[in-house]
Amino acid sequence: MGESAPLIIKQKVRDFSAWGRYPRVDGKLVSPSHPKGLGYFLKSGDTFIPLGNRRSYGDSALAARMLDVRPCNCMLRFDTDKGLLHTQAGVLLSDILKTFVPRGWFLPVTPGTKYVTVGGAIASDVHGKNHHLDGCFSKWVREISIMLPGGQVVSCSRRKNHELFLATCGGQGLTGVILEARFYLKKIDSCLLDQVTVRTNNLQETFDAFEQYCNMPYSVAWIDGTAKGPKTGRGIFTAASFMNGGDYDYRPYGSMDIPVEFPPFFMNKALLTGFNFLYYHGARERVSYQQGIDIDTFFYPLDRIGKWNRLYGRRGFVQYHFILPKGQGFDGILEIMREIGKSGISPYLAVLKLYGMENENLLSFPMEGYGLALDFKIQKGLFHLLDRLDNIVVARGGRLYLTKDSRMNRKMVEKGYSGIWQFRRFRRSNDMDKMIQSLQSRRLGL
Amino acid sequence: MMESVLILGAKSDIGKALAREYARHGYDLILVARDAGIALKDFASDLRIRSHRSVILRDLDILSVEAHKDFYFSLGKRPAGVICVIGYMGDQTTASSDFREFKRITDTNYTAVACFLNVVANDFQRRSKGFIIGISSVAGDRGRKKNYIYGASKAALSAYLSGLRARLYPHGVHVMTVKPGFVKTRMTMAMQLPPLLTASPEDAARQIYEAQRKGKDIIYVKGRWRLVMGIIRLIPERIFKAYCNF
């Protein structure tokens, strides 16, 4: 209206959760329309956690007080020569795609959903199907401007305030409120991709496919979580690269929302086995080639079903996303899949990916090796199973992705992340630990 | 040269959504608000990047009615359309005893807006083209206990726009009245609003743009408000005064 909106708005929220719909909290959502309002809020001295578009899975962005950065959603500058984009933290990747794909630019790294904020992408240091070649999102970030708990705004980069940069990228929002970022986009020659699809009969063949196509920029494998015995680890491997010539006629799909929460029994074993069977046998030949796959189909297949997390019902789900060093990858994943097989609990979706080099950020997830993401409906016995899986992951030198986590314990995070000690020290010495807290940071002592 | 649209009250969520909608459809923009130059700086950068359109920011206090004419004619290029999104809810209780608040509500919603639109209307009539969109409110359709001072000012605006429409019709100038019901903005974020009757600013902007293209006269946002307000208007006054306490 003619009156400018107040600088800050507080709203009570109930049953509030992130993408996994577990856990749920009652709390306050604080939403500043302007960094000035944010400054006032910080002076109140209440603890809080910054929140983006709620696409993390667990409790890394949940707390009694959450600070919504989405109202700060302006793109500020684009340098066409360098491909350098300067945005506020609340800008969604989907908006960047809508604006820049038609001009021949793409995100250098994108997660499996485009509905994340730039701030969230940094705080989770997200990775994509090209991690083995292009690293995490932070690799393409040149500078971050961040408001520290004391209210002062500082910028950090690889040259300036380096430790703050290393702690902020992958730091789950625990170092301050990310306000703005400057990062590179990448030039593409077409908005369509060429894809190769390989149907594999077991885990060995799936691994072989990753090695064989490791020069393709984008690769990922869907694994049939219901397959047992010699078929364990079979799946559909896909790799793709952007086409050389073509147009930039990008038309984002509309999405169909799942309108209601499904009853908990909807996602059951029969449905799951049926779906996996159909998906697996949907690829008729062992190796096939497809041309002209569009961006949304290849990168964001699940975004086409809005609110698909409702399929898991009221209790929600957990994504168990772990990574193992390369030498341990094959045996470790087999061991984990056998352990899951014994438990009688099946994952609903399993996605395998070959990762490239580890970066130097204190809490970034990727390391050179194999990562597997498993979706489990919350059910009886699940948490015991996941505890057993934790032991296998730790014994083999792996770790869990904080952005997906809602249940690991301190020992697990300390064994997995060698940078955690420095992260804790850094938070303590800058008084960040007193002001910025999430359910996860309290549980894990981050 | 691209055609441009002038948005009065561009700081509001609906104003911003309209700016994005019209930019998306190829219009240049002149965004006007009290301190547009500062408050809308980032938003304007964003619009330019997203749409490649020219975005001009101009400061104007709508209550400085003496300045309207000079302001309008000082714009480098005359807009093809003017959208007025200005509205001030005010505080009913204060306004019923404090004249300053009463005047502020009435002036902001009606007097000042009408003064500005007079200037625009005369220009558009001379040029025999253009469109004027006024954002009124369902609150102007019937005076209600809770917000009749605001409602009265919006009723005045609706009546003004109706007369203006008839005056400019023979000259090929299109005047449209928009009556939004509930809109999910930052102002109403903390309220519980009925989902079936509540539009997002983006929905509202889309609907307004489409209606303007089609040359509609009066639209409700969402459309089902037409039915709701139709029924509310039919309630006999003797029942309305006693039982309708909303």
PDB file of all heavy atoms in Angstrom, chain A residues 340-365:
ATOM      1  N   ILE A 340      20.546 -52.933   4.701  1.00  0.00           N
ATOM      2  CA  ILE A 340      19.167 -52.460   4.500  1.00  0.00           C
ATOM      3  C   ILE A 340      18.265 -53.630   4.113  1.00  0.00           C
ATOM      4  O   ILE A 340      17.154 -53.780   4.630  1.00  0.00           O
ATOM      5  CB  ILE A 340      19.124 -51.367   3.413  1.00  0.00           C
ATOM      6  CG1 ILE A 340      19.873 -50.127   3.892  1.00  0.00           C
ATOM      7  CG2 ILE A 340      17.680 -50.995   3.078  1.00  0.00           C
ATOM      8  CD1 ILE A 340      20.111 -49.094   2.800  1.00  0.00           C
ATOM      9  N   GLY A 341      18.771 -54.488   3.242  1.00  0.00           N
ATOM     10  CA  GLY A 341      18.003 -55.644   2.791  1.00  0.00           C
ATOM     11  C   GLY A 341      17.597 -56.528   3.964  1.00  0.00           C
ATOM     12  O   GLY A 341      16.472 -57.023   4.022  1.00  0.00           O
ATOM     13  N   LYS A 342      18.520 -56.699   4.911  1.00  0.00           N
ATOM     14  CA  LYS A 342      18.241 -57.553   6.076  1.00  0.00           C
ATOM     15  C   LYS A 342      17.140 -56.955   6.944  1.00  0.00           C
ATOM     16  O   LYS A 342      16.402 -57.673   7.609  1.00  0.00           O
ATOM     17  CB  LYS A 342      19.521 -57.691   6.931  1.00  0.00           C
ATOM     18  CG  LYS A 342      20.400 -58.869   6.530  1.00  0.00           C
ATOM     19  CD  LYS A 342      21.448 -59.144   7.598  1.00  0.00           C
ATOM     20  CE  LYS A 342      22.493 -58.057   7.628  1.00  0.00           C
ATOM     21  NZ  LYS A 342      23.541 -58.202   8.615  1.00  0.00           N
ATOM     22  N   SER A 343      17.052 -55.633   6.961  1.00  0.00           N
ATOM     23  CA  SER A 343      16.153 -54.978   7.913  1.00  0.00           C
ATOM     24  C   SER A 343      14.693 -55.057   7.491  1.00  0.00           C
ATOM     25  O   SER A 343      13.803 -54.844   8.300  1.00  0.00           O
ATOM     26  CB  SER A 343      16.530 -53.499   8.047  1.00  0.00           C
ATOM     27  OG  SER A 343      16.132 -52.819   6.874  1.00  0.00           O
ATOM     28  N   GLY A 344      14.442 -55.324   6.241  1.00  0.00           N
ATOM     29  CA  GLY A 344      13.057 -55.336   5.770  1.00  0.00           C
ATOM     30  C   GLY A 344      12.502 -53.949   5.499  1.00  0.00           C
ATOM     31  O   GLY A 344      11.354 -53.786   5.125  1.00  0.00           O
ATOM     32  N   ILE A 345      13.316 -52.924   5.685  1.00  0.00           N
ATOM     33  CA  ILE A 345      12.888 -51.560   5.358  1.00  0.00           C
ATOM     34  C   ILE A 345      13.489 -51.195   4.003  1.00  0.00           C
ATOM     35  O   ILE A 345      14.671 -51.434   3.779  1.00  0.00           O
ATOM     36  CB  ILE A 345      13.392 -50.564   6.424  1.00  0.00           C
ATOM     37  CG1 ILE A 345      12.732 -50.878   7.771  1.00  0.00           C
ATOM     38  CG2 ILE A 345      13.133 -49.131   6.007  1.00  0.00           C
ATOM     39  CD1 ILE A 345      13.256 -50.040   8.920  1.00  0.00           C
ATOM     40  N   SER A 346      12.660 -50.676   3.104  1.00  0.00           N
ATOM     41  CA  SER A 346      13.208 -50.362   1.784  1.00  0.00           C
ATOM     42  C   SER A 346      13.265 -48.864   1.556  1.00  0.00           C
ATOM     43  O   SER A 346      12.354 -48.153   1.955  1.00  0.00           O
ATOM     44  CB  SER A 346      12.338 -50.972   0.692  1.00  0.00           C
ATOM     45  OG  SER A 346      12.340 -52.354   0.809  1.00  0.00           O
ATOM     46  N   PRO A 347      14.300 -48.421   0.893  1.00  0.00           N
ATOM     47  CA  PRO A 347      14.319 -47.014   0.504  1.00  0.00           C
ATOM     48  C   PRO A 347      13.390 -46.806  -0.689  1.00  0.00           C
ATOM     49  O   PRO A 347      13.202 -47.709  -1.496  1.00  0.00           O
ATOM     50  CB  PRO A 347      15.769 -46.777   0.094  1.00  0.00           C
ATOM     51  CG  PRO A 347      16.265 -48.115  -0.328  1.00  0.00           C
ATOM     52  CD  PRO A 347      15.502 -49.144   0.467  1.00  0.00           C
ATOM     53  N   TYR A 348      12.779 -45.654  -0.777  1.00  0.00           N
ATOM     54  CA  TYR A 348      11.832 -45.387  -1.857  1.00  0.00           C
ATOM     55  C   TYR A 348      12.522 -44.844  -3.091  1.00  0.00           C
ATOM     56  O   TYR A 348      12.030 -44.959  -4.189  1.00  0.00           O
ATOM     57  CB  TYR A 348      10.766 -44.416  -1.358  1.00  0.00           C
ATOM     58  CG  TYR A 348       9.833 -45.107  -0.424  1.00  0.00           C
ATOM     59  CD1 TYR A 348      10.263 -45.534   0.824  1.00  0.00           C
ATOM     60  CD2 TYR A 348       8.545 -45.421  -0.823  1.00  0.00           C
ATOM     61  CE1 TYR A 348       9.428 -46.218   1.661  1.00  0.00           C
ATOM     62  CE2 TYR A 348       7.707 -46.110   0.015  1.00  0.00           C
ATOM     63  CZ  TYR A 348       8.146 -46.507   1.264  1.00  0.00           C
ATOM     64  OH  TYR A 348       7.325 -47.191   2.092  1.00  0.00           O
ATOM     65  N   LEU A 349      13.636 -44.229  -2.850  1.00  0.00           N
ATOM     66  CA  LEU A 349      14.352 -43.650  -3.972  1.00  0.00           C
ATOM     67  C   LEU A 349      15.817 -43.738  -3.600  1.00  0.00           C
ATOM     68  O   LEU A 349      16.183 -43.478  -2.460  1.00  0.00           O
ATOM     69  CB  LEU A 349      13.933 -42.183  -4.121  1.00  0.00           C
ATOM     70  CG  LEU A 349      14.341 -41.493  -5.411  1.00  0.00           C
ATOM     71  CD1 LEU A 349      13.552 -42.080  -6.563  1.00  0.00           C
ATOM     72  CD2 LEU A 349      14.053 -40.002  -5.319  1.00  0.00           C
ATOM     73  N   ALA A 350      16.649 -44.156  -4.544  1.00  0.00           N
ATOM     74  CA  ALA A 350      18.074 -44.256  -4.255  1.00  0.00           C
ATOM     75  C   ALA A 350      18.839 -43.657  -5.421  1.00  0.00           C
ATOM     76  O   ALA A 350      18.600 -44.002  -6.574  1.00  0.00           O
ATOM     77  CB  ALA A 350      18.471 -45.708  -4.052  1.00  0.00           C
ATOM     78  N   VAL A 351      19.710 -42.718  -5.131  1.00  0.00           N
ATOM     79  CA  VAL A 351      20.444 -42.025  -6.185  1.00  0.00           C
ATOM     80  C   VAL A 351      21.937 -42.076  -5.882  1.00  0.00           C
ATOM     81  O   VAL A 351      22.376 -41.703  -4.797  1.00  0.00           O
ATOM     82  CB  VAL A 351      19.973 -40.558  -6.301  1.00  0.00           C
ATOM     83  CG1 VAL A 351      20.823 -39.813  -7.310  1.00  0.00           C
ATOM     84  CG2 VAL A 351      18.515 -40.511  -6.698  1.00  0.00           C
ATOM     85  N   LEU A 352      22.690 -42.564  -6.847  1.00  0.00           N
ATOM     86  CA  LEU A 352      24.132 -42.746  -6.684  1.00  0.00           C
ATOM     87  C   LEU A 352      24.870 -41.744  -7.559  1.00  0.00           C
ATOM     88  O   LEU A 352      24.423 -41.421  -8.659  1.00  0.00           O
ATOM     89  CB  LEU A 352      24.517 -44.169  -7.092  1.00  0.00           C
ATOM     90  CG  LEU A 352      25.993 -44.566  -6.955  1.00  0.00           C
ATOM     91  CD1 LEU A 352      26.393 -44.628  -5.494  1.00  0.00           C
ATOM     92  CD2 LEU A 352      26.246 -45.906  -7.634  1.00  0.00           C
ATOM     93  N   LYS A 353      26.021 -41.310  -7.044  1.00  0.00           N
ATOM     94  CA  LYS A 353      26.750 -40.287  -7.792  1.00  0.00           C
ATOM     95  C   LYS A 353      28.239 -40.397  -7.504  1.00  0.00           C
ATOM     96  O   LYS A 353      28.644 -40.659  -6.373  1.00  0.00           O
ATOM     97  CB  LYS A 353      26.181 -38.924  -7.341  1.00  0.00           C
ATOM     98  CG  LYS A 353      26.989 -37.730  -7.624  1.00  0.00           C
ATOM     99  CD  LYS A 353      26.485 -36.992  -8.839  1.00  0.00           C
ATOM    100  CE  LYS A 353      27.615 -36.226  -9.489  1.00  0.00           C
ATOM    101  NZ  LYS A 353      28.225 -36.910 -10.617  1.00  0.00           N
ATOM    102  N   LEU A 354      29.022 -40.216  -8.543  1.00  0.00           N
ATOM    103  CA  LEU A 354      30.481 -40.172  -8.391  1.00  0.00           C
ATOM    104  C   LEU A 354      30.885 -38.723  -8.118  1.00  0.00           C
ATOM    105  O   LEU A 354      30.480 -37.815  -8.837  1.00  0.00           O
ATOM    106  CB  LEU A 354      31.149 -40.660  -9.682  1.00  0.00           C
ATOM    107  CG  LEU A 354      32.666 -40.492  -9.796  1.00  0.00           C
ATOM    108  CD1 LEU A 354      33.392 -41.359  -8.776  1.00  0.00           C
ATOM    109  CD2 LEU A 354      33.133 -40.842 -11.211  1.00  0.00           C
ATOM    110  N   TYR A 355      31.662 -38.529  -7.062  1.00  0.00           N
ATOM    111  CA  TYR A 355      32.068 -37.179  -6.674  1.00  0.00           C
ATOM    112  C   TYR A 355      33.531 -36.936  -7.000  1.00  0.00           C
ATOM    113  O   TYR A 355      34.343 -37.863  -7.000  1.00  0.00           O
ATOM    114  CB  TYR A 355      31.859 -36.961  -5.173  1.00  0.00           C
ATOM    115  CG  TYR A 355      30.414 -36.844  -4.754  1.00  0.00           C
ATOM    116  CD1 TYR A 355      29.601 -37.966  -4.689  1.00  0.00           C
ATOM    117  CD2 TYR A 355      29.858 -35.612  -4.424  1.00  0.00           C
ATOM    118  CE1 TYR A 355      28.272 -37.857  -4.306  1.00  0.00           C
ATOM    119  CE2 TYR A 355      28.534 -35.501  -4.029  1.00  0.00           C
ATOM    120  CZ  TYR A 355      27.746 -36.631  -3.979  1.00  0.00           C
ATOM    121  OH  TYR A 355      26.438 -36.516  -3.595  1.00  0.00           O
ATOM    122  N   GLY A 356      33.849 -35.660  -7.210  1.00  0.00           N
ATOM    123  CA  GLY A 356      35.240 -35.277  -7.468  1.00  0.00           C
ATOM    124  C   GLY A 356      35.942 -34.853  -6.191  1.00  0.00           C
ATOM    125  O   GLY A 356      35.542 -35.225  -5.085  1.00  0.00           O
ATOM    126  N   MET A 357      36.966 -34.029  -6.361  1.00  0.00           N
ATOM    127  CA  MET A 357      37.818 -33.667  -5.233  1.00  0.00           C
ATOM    128  C   MET A 357      37.062 -32.924  -4.125  1.00  0.00           C
ATOM    129  O   MET A 357      36.158 -32.149  -4.376  1.00  0.00           O
ATOM    130  CB  MET A 357      38.950 -32.738  -5.726  1.00  0.00           C
ATOM    131  CG  MET A 357      39.894 -33.403  -6.699  1.00  0.00           C
ATOM    132  SD  MET A 357      40.825 -34.717  -5.914  1.00  0.00           S
ATOM    133  CE  MET A 357      41.992 -33.719  -4.993  1.00  0.00           C
ATOM    134  N   GLU A 358      37.515 -33.153  -2.918  1.00  0.00           N
ATOM    135  CA  GLU A 358      37.016 -32.441  -1.749  1.00  0.00           C
ATOM    136  C   GLU A 358      37.492 -30.980  -1.831  1.00  0.00           C
ATOM    137  O   GLU A 358      38.565 -30.711  -2.341  1.00  0.00           O
ATOM    138  CB  GLU A 358      37.628 -33.121  -0.517  1.00  0.00           C
ATOM    139  CG  GLU A 358      37.174 -32.593   0.799  1.00  0.00           C
ATOM    140  CD  GLU A 358      37.694 -33.478   1.947  1.00  0.00           C
ATOM    141  OE1 GLU A 358      38.547 -34.366   1.691  1.00  0.00           O
ATOM    142  OE2 GLU A 358      37.249 -33.278   3.074  1.00  0.00           O
ATOM    143  N   ASN A 359      36.696 -30.025  -1.331  1.00  0.00           N
ATOM    144  CA  ASN A 359      37.205 -28.648  -1.273  1.00  0.00           C
ATOM    145  C   ASN A 359      37.643 -28.324   0.155  1.00  0.00           C
ATOM    146  O   ASN A 359      37.574 -29.174   1.048  1.00  0.00           O
ATOM    147  CB  ASN A 359      36.165 -27.656  -1.799  1.00  0.00           C
ATOM    148  CG  ASN A 359      34.889 -27.638  -0.970  1.00  0.00           C
ATOM    149  OD1 ASN A 359      34.885 -27.971   0.217  1.00  0.00           O
ATOM    150  ND2 ASN A 359      33.785 -27.271  -1.598  1.00  0.00           N
ATOM    151  N   GLU A 360      38.091 -27.094   0.378  1.00  0.00           N
ATOM    152  CA  GLU A 360      38.654 -26.809   1.700  1.00  0.00           C
ATOM    153  C   GLU A 360      37.662 -26.177   2.673  1.00  0.00           C
ATOM    154  O   GLU A 360      38.035 -25.809   3.787  1.00  0.00           O
ATOM    155  CB  GLU A 360      39.918 -25.941   1.573  1.00  0.00           C
ATOM    156  CG  GLU A 360      39.774 -24.811   0.589  1.00  0.00           C
ATOM    157  CD  GLU A 360      40.941 -23.820   0.622  1.00  0.00           C
ATOM    158  OE1 GLU A 360      41.850 -23.975   1.447  1.00  0.00           O
ATOM    159  OE2 GLU A 360      40.890 -22.882  -0.182  1.00  0.00           O
ATOM    160  N   ASN A 361      36.410 -26.066   2.279  1.00  0.00           N
ATOM    161  CA  ASN A 361      35.421 -25.532   3.221  1.00  0.00           C
ATOM    162  C   ASN A 361      35.301 -26.443   4.434  1.00  0.00           C
ATOM    163  O   ASN A 361      35.472 -27.651   4.331  1.00  0.00           O
ATOM    164  CB  ASN A 361      34.053 -25.412   2.540  1.00  0.00           C
ATOM    165  CG  ASN A 361      34.092 -24.489   1.351  1.00  0.00           C
ATOM    166  OD1 ASN A 361      34.880 -23.544   1.336  1.00  0.00           O
ATOM    167  ND2 ASN A 361      33.275 -24.759   0.349  1.00  0.00           N
ATOM    168  N   LEU A 362      34.980 -25.847   5.585  1.00  0.00           N
ATOM    169  CA  LEU A 362      35.040 -26.623   6.821  1.00  0.00           C
ATOM    170  C   LEU A 362      33.971 -27.710   6.902  1.00  0.00           C
ATOM    171  O   LEU A 362      34.215 -28.778   7.448  1.00  0.00           O
ATOM    172  CB  LEU A 362      34.929 -25.682   8.029  1.00  0.00           C
ATOM    173  CG  LEU A 362      35.992 -24.563   8.070  1.00  0.00           C
ATOM    174  CD1 LEU A 362      35.847 -23.746   9.338  1.00  0.00           C
ATOM    175  CD2 LEU A 362      37.398 -25.146   7.971  1.00  0.00           C
ATOM    176  N   LEU A 363      32.779 -27.433   6.358  1.00  0.00           N
ATOM    177  CA  LEU A 363      31.699 -28.417   6.520  1.00  0.00           C
ATOM    178  C   LEU A 363      31.061 -28.856   5.199  1.00  0.00           C
ATOM    179  O   LEU A 363      29.924 -29.318   5.187  1.00  0.00           O
ATOM    180  CB  LEU A 363      30.611 -27.856   7.443  1.00  0.00           C
ATOM    181  CG  LEU A 363      30.983 -27.654   8.913  1.00  0.00           C
ATOM    182  CD1 LEU A 363      29.758 -27.192   9.703  1.00  0.00           C
ATOM    183  CD2 LEU A 363      31.542 -28.924   9.532  1.00  0.00           C
ATOM    184  N   SER A 364      31.771 -28.710   4.084  1.00  0.00           N
ATOM    185  CA  SER A 364      31.186 -29.169   2.828  1.00  0.00           C
ATOM    186  C   SER A 364      31.145 -30.692   2.797  1.00  0.00           C
ATOM    187  O   SER A 364      32.038 -31.347   3.305  1.00  0.00           O
ATOM    188  CB  SER A 364      31.988 -28.654   1.638  1.00  0.00           C
ATOM    189  OG  SER A 364      31.654 -27.323   1.393  1.00  0.00           O
ATOM    190  N   PHE A 365      30.113 -31.198   2.193  1.00  0.00           N
ATOM    191  CA  PHE A 365      29.862 -32.640   2.216  1.00  0.00           C
ATOM    192  C   PHE A 365      30.748 -33.446   1.266  1.00  0.00           C
ATOM    193  O   PHE A 365      31.316 -34.463   1.663  1.00  0.00           O
ATOM    194  CB  PHE A 365      28.375 -32.855   1.905  1.00  0.00           C
ATOM    195  CG  PHE A 365      27.986 -34.264   1.598  1.00  0.00           C
ATOM    196  CD1 PHE A 365      28.043 -35.243   2.587  1.00  0.00           C
ATOM    197  CD2 PHE A 365      27.554 -34.620   0.326  1.00  0.00           C
ATOM    198  CE1 PHE A 365      27.664 -36.553   2.309  1.00  0.00           C
ATOM    199  CE2 PHE A 365      27.168 -35.923   0.046  1.00  0.00           C
ATOM    200  CZ  PHE A 365      27.229 -36.889   1.030  1.00  0.00           C
TER     201      PHE A 365
END
